[in-house]
Amino acid sequence: MRIFRYTMVLFGILLLFSTSSALQAQQLSVTSGADEQTTAELPVMDNPAAVRELVSRLSDSEVRELLLQQLDIVAARQLEDDTAVEEVGLFTLITTNIPISIQAAVSAFPTLISGQIEIFSLFVDRLGPNGITGLFISFLFAIIAGLVIEYLVRLLTRRWRATVDVPQSADPTLKQILKLLSIRFVLDLSGLLAFIIVTQIVLRQMLADLQVHFIMHHVLWNLILIPRLFSVVLTFALAPRRSDLRLIHTTDAAARFLHNNLVSVALLVGVTLSITDLQNIPGAVRFETRIGFWFNLLIHLYFAFIAWRSRYTLIDIITGRNDDATPLERQVAKFYPYYAMAVIVSSWTLVEILVAQEKLHLIAKGVQYSTMFILLLAPVLDTVIRGLVEHLTPAIVGEGALAQQAYHSAKRSYIRIGRLLVMLLVISWLSWIWGVDFSNLDATGTGSSMTRRLLEFIGIFAVGYLLWEVVTLWLNRKLAAEKTASGVGGDAGLPGGDEGGVGGSRLSTVLPLITWFVQTAIVVMTVLVGLGNLGIDITPLLAGAGIVGLAIGFGAQKLVTDIVSGLFFLIDDAFRAGEYVNVEGTMGTVEKISLRAMQLRHHRGPVHTIPYGEIPKITNYSRDWSIMKLTFTVPFETDLIKVKKIFKTIGAELMEIPEFSGDFIQPFKSQGVIQVDDIGIVIRGKFMVKPGKQFQIRKEIFQRVQQEFDRHGIQFARKEVRVKLDGGGSAEGALSEEDKSAIGAAAQEASEVKPAT
């Protein structure tokens, strides 16, 4: 109980100190009993003693009531401030605060030099007699000691540096370039790290004043370490003196210009931050020099100069060295210099607005420069993503148009996934440096509940889109691999021949339906979760979907029949994509399979769409193996032994052809005489092949049989009409008109008679 009372009293003292001016005329109502209330007027509290005297006369319940009242007052004031800020438009905010900031800087310009001299004098006075000399010697000694240690580290690592310094004569791969750049980066960073450690130790040992040590520590970081660290990073990215190791697409002169000037900007930012640190010296607040305005303006103008001076270089960098950039990406690259100028102007405007509103704590650590750097770097990261995808995407699987299309589609999917990850990284980085917690915006007072829900809604859709891309990429790669392995969808258009083809695998047939189902599920779940997160009740949507599904079940029985029939056809593996089938006289290659129907492509071009519910049976010509039986009719006087030898020779020749040798299960051979009719002798031959090539091989056999028959003097049997005339072989001219009419009638009658099957 004593701990609770002490805690409540202490909390009351702190709160009273922060709100003493608002409590001078306030009435205090406390409850001293169950039904009795007393009202006390707070005295004027100008010092801590008055506060302690007031608290000593209050009970626990009175302190609790006082705290609740003050918390309500603070919450009401915060709500009024937020409302006031929300009511001010962006244009009003800019036109009101920017002139104030500029006017204050111009008014303080005459005292700029004198004010900084006074601030520096305060710093010198704090050091005491001969303090500045000792400080300079300490700082110089720390730098010299750091440089000596760094030189020793470079001597110890000279063997590894020698491997990096050798120019690459041949065209190195990305892996080799990254390896050499990483070695050089680690070596440079190790020397710099040794410099940092030694200088920090020396400064801590030689400077006893903690505040002076703190200031010099910041000066060391801002003026030496940050520019050098920036130089190491830029050397890795730009390689200003090693074109053979350069990752970006630019010239040597442009790389050196960007490296030198960006390091100069880092140095200028360090000078600005160091001068800002001097403002923290006790007594320096009264010198309002506004030097930060001029340095901030100079930094942004320098950034603008670099962006505009290197605009064509930046366009080349963002476009990249590869020619696979889309027209949209090339347009974005051309727009980048204007985007950079807009970011620079917006950054300067934001800083001046915060300064005019006296919210310097938001930019005390130079977060505006980090923000500007991140926003300017984001489009360049897109080029990095495209370059990495170009080099790291697995090699193309298979050959032909399908393999090329799958390879290009996979690359674009990797690029989209990378862009989404970069966007999330940039947002997370910006929220971290500005101290914004998206998961707790209401508690931090940085946004309303609707803003938080909207941001979460965007995050849910980003995660859903990322899941969509990853799943679609995996399924499409799997589908392309299956089709390529089975030869479906190649350059020939119809796999296997004009009138049929070998089908794809069972997985390649089902994967399109699985892809559609998974994509639909991701979209539906993302939309429902997003709407639920916005506070929309999705229960009516689910109930409505159930009612609609029930209505479809009763009102569209034919549709349900088609879907169920198709499901069982796929379960029974009755057909696959690419197979040649016959559905009640409709023949064609299975070109597309949907949830309700299948599409057959006839070998002459027409596409037949057949609902599953209308398929009584399917004849599949592309499953396992196929036997083709071919019949030939020869005259009665033909030597059948010779015909049999011709068939055997043709079968042996076809087995030697590389195009067909791997497809035969049994070679083409004669089956002998199967029928004798009034025209001639019917001979049959047969062969067994893998599905897909039977029709093409059949055409080749027909052509070779005709050629061999002509070479051996064998004619195919033809229908003939023989007329026997009485009187013994009269010449044609001696025929009477009655004879000619009789002969013509007999020939016409013979041509109309169909042979028996």
Side-chain angles (χ1 to χ4, degrees), residues 149-150 153 187-199 225:
I149 296 299
E150 183 179 2
V153 172
L187 294 177
D188 293 341
L189 197 61
S190 62
L192 183 59
L193 182 62
F195 177 86
I196 294 173
I197 295 174
V198 171
T199 52
L225 299 181

Side-chain angles (χ1 to χ4, degrees), residues 316-384:
D316 290 339
I317 292 175
I318 296 177
T319 303
R321 67 176 76 238
N322 299 316
D323 297 331
D324 60 345
T326 63
L328 179 60
E329 291 170 350
R330 298 183 186 276
Q331 290 296 328
V332 170
K334 293 180 180 179
F335 182 73
Y336 177 77
Y338 306 98
Y339 162 80
M341 300 299 292
V343 169
I344 294 169
V345 173
S346 300
S347 175
W348 180 83
T349 304
L350 175 63
V351 171
E352 297 309 321
I353 290 176
L354 294 177
V355 171
Q357 292 187 344
E358 298 182 354
K359 296 182 179 180
L360 299 178
H361 62 283
L362 296 177
I363 55 175
K365 298 180 181 180
V367 295
Q368 70 274 22
Y369 304 124
S370 301
T371 302
M372 182 169 55
F373 176 74
I374 295 169
L375 294 178
L376 293 177
L377 184 64
V380 181
L381 293 178
D382 182 78
T383 306
V384 175

Side-chain angles (χ1 to χ4, degrees), residues 443-494:
T444 57
T446 55
S448 62
S449 176
M450 190 60 193
T451 303
R452 177 183 58 80
R453 291 182 177 181
L454 181 60
L455 292 174
E456 292 178 354
F457 180 79
I458 296 174
I460 291 171
F461 264 80
V463 174
Y465 177 75
L466 179 62
L467 184 62
W468 165 288
E469 286 289 350
V470 172
V471 172
T472 304
L473 173 64
W474 184 82
L475 291 176
N476 286 341
R477 285 182 58 86
K478 192 69 175 177
L479 179 61
E482 290 289 331
K483 287 186 175 182
T484 303
S486 59
V488 178
D491 296 332
L494 290 174

Side-chain angles (χ1 to χ4, degrees), residues 221-430:
W221 271 97
N222 296 332
L223 297 183
I224 298 178
L225 299 181
I226 291 181
R228 292 194 60 192
L229 181 61
F230 210 61
S231 176
V232 171
V233 175
L234 289 175
T235 301
F236 178 88
L238 298 175
R241 295 176 178 82
R242 294 290 300 274
S243 59
D244 55 331
L245 300 181
R246 189 168 301 140
L247 296 174
I248 63 175
H249 182 220
T250 187
T251 62
D252 294 343
R256 287 193 294 269
F257 175 82
L258 288 176
H259 176 273
N260 297 335
N261 285 275
L262 289 177
V263 172
S264 300
V265 169
L267 180 59
L268 186 58
V269 171
V271 172
T272 304
L273 296 178
S274 299
I275 292 177
T276 303
D277 290 335
L278 290 177
Q279 310 293 328
N280 298 324
I281 299 175
V285 180
R286 66 177 185 270
F287 301 104
E288 187 66 24
T289 62
R290 299 297 300 233
I291 192 173
F293 171 86
W294 303 105
F295 271 100
N296 182 61
L297 180 62
L298 180 60
I299 291 172
H300 285 84
L301 289 177
Y302 199 176
F303 261 118
F305 165 74
I306 296 174
W308 191 251
R309 172 67 172 76
S310 305
R311 58 188 183 278
Y312 299 114
T313 300
L314 296 174
I315 291 175
D316 290 339
I317 292 175
I318 296 177
T319 303
R321 67 176 76 238
N322 299 316
D323 297 331
D324 60 345
T326 63
L328 179 60
E329 291 170 350
R330 298 183 186 276
Q331 290 296 328
V332 170
K334 293 180 180 179
F335 182 73
Y336 177 77
Y338 306 98
Y339 162 80
M341 300 299 292
V343 169
I344 294 169
V345 173
S346 300
S347 175
W348 180 83
T349 304
L350 175 63
V351 171
E352 297 309 321
I353 290 176
L354 294 177
V355 171
Q357 292 187 344
E358 298 182 354
K359 296 182 179 180
L360 299 178
H361 62 283
L362 296 177
I363 55 175
K365 298 180 181 180
V367 295
Q368 70 274 22
Y369 304 124
S370 301
T371 302
M372 182 169 55
F373 176 74
I374 295 169
L375 294 178
L376 293 177
L377 184 64
V380 181
L381 293 178
D382 182 78
T383 306
V384 175
I385 292 171
R386 288 191 281 116
L388 291 176
V389 168
E390 180 67 26
H391 290 86
L392 300 181
T393 301
I396 185 172
V397 179
E399 299 179 354
L402 179 64
Q404 291 286 348
Q405 181 181 0
Y407 179 72
H408 181 73
S409 177
K411 287 173 57 178
R412 301 309 303 180
S413 295
Y414 284 129
I415 291 174
R416 289 192 293 268
I417 293 173
R419 286 171 176 169
L420 180 61
L421 294 177
V422 167
M423 182 185 69
L424 295 177
L425 176 64
V426 169
I427 294 176
S428 301
W429 196 353
L430 292 176

